[in-house]
Amino acid sequence: MIKLKKLLFLFTGVLLTMTCTINKKTDKKSDPWSLELEKGGCLDVCQAFTITITSNGKFKYNGKFKVKHLGLKTGTLNSEEQIKINRLLNSINWQDIKSGYGSNANSLQLKVLEYSAKTIKKKVSYSGSEPQQIKNLEHYIDTMINKDEL
């Protein structure tokens, strides 16, 4: 009987230790961040909008030109969108990202991406030759704002 109690006590201790470790890993991922993508119009042919997304999934969108949703809109991303945005953000090595890519030619669309987290703040202006990870993030955001329900 005493052996069984000791074994049960040991098992409970191991289980509690594992639970604490899992919670620490989860807490690390929940560091707050915010992301803003602004796309300017170009010769009246490009979409123009601004969207701000925060780590809790809240977004604020302002569609300005040639977009499916014109005007202000706020809401919360669904869990699948939040997971995808987090994966895309985590794929970017923000320390290696330059502050500008491409040229400032008038015919190209200027895009500004601002990322702010606990350990880094980065503002990137680009109109071409940006890293693939930024292209992937922008493409996913474009897909989200072009849905019927934003």
Side-chain angles (χ1 to χ4, degrees):
M1 187 66 147
I2 292 176
K3 260 187 167 181
L4 185 59
K5 284 183 180 180
K6 284 183 180 180
L7 187 59
L8 184 60
F9 181 73
L10 179 63
F11 178 73
T12 304
V14 170
L15 188 59
L16 285 172
T17 303
M18 288 173 53
T19 304
C20 291
T21 304
I22 291 168
N23 285 341
K24 286 180 185 175
K25 288 179 182 176
T26 304
D27 289 344
K28 187 173 181 181
K29 285 186 175 183
S30 65
D31 286 343
W33 55 261
S34 67
L35 169 75
E36 181 176 283
L37 175 63
E38 180 177 3
K39 288 178 136 184
C42 58
L43 299 178
D44 294 335
V45 295
C46 299
Q47 290 185 330
F49 67 87
T50 303
I51 187 166
T52 303
I53 304 170
T54 58
S55 54
N56 63 2
K58 302 280 185 199
F59 71 85
K60 181 179 176 184
Y61 167 83
N62 187 8
K64 300 172 187 169
F65 184 74
K66 284 209 172 248
V67 289
K68 190 169 198 166
H69 306 281
L70 288 171
L72 291 172
K73 185 157 177 100
T74 59
T76 304
L77 303 178
N78 66 42
S79 59
E80 183 181 310
E81 291 167 333
Q82 288 181 39
I83 290 168
K84 181 70 172 178
I85 288 285
N86 275 310
R87 282 188 188 144
L88 289 165
L89 289 172
N90 289 332
S91 75
I92 299 172
N93 186 353
W94 291 100
Q95 286 79 12
D96 293 342
I97 298 296
K98 298 181 210 172
S99 61
Y101 294 93
S103 65
N104 288 337
N106 289 338
S107 62
L108 297 176
Q109 183 178 38
L110 179 63
K111 305 163 195 173
V112 179
L113 179 67
E114 289 187 59
Y115 176 72
S116 179
K118 188 175 183 179
T119 58
I120 191 163
K121 291 183 189 317
K122 191 65 103 164
K123 182 175 182 176
V124 183
S125 299
Y126 60 100
S127 56
S129 70
E130 65 274 14
Q132 186 62 47
Q133 292 86 356
I134 290 180
K135 289 178 186 179
N136 294 343
L137 177 62
E138 179 188 334
H139 175 72
Y140 186 70
I141 291 172
D142 284 343
T143 301
M144 284 185 346
I145 68 161
N146 285 317
K147 294 185 317 183
D148 288 336
E149 279 297 313
L150 175 66

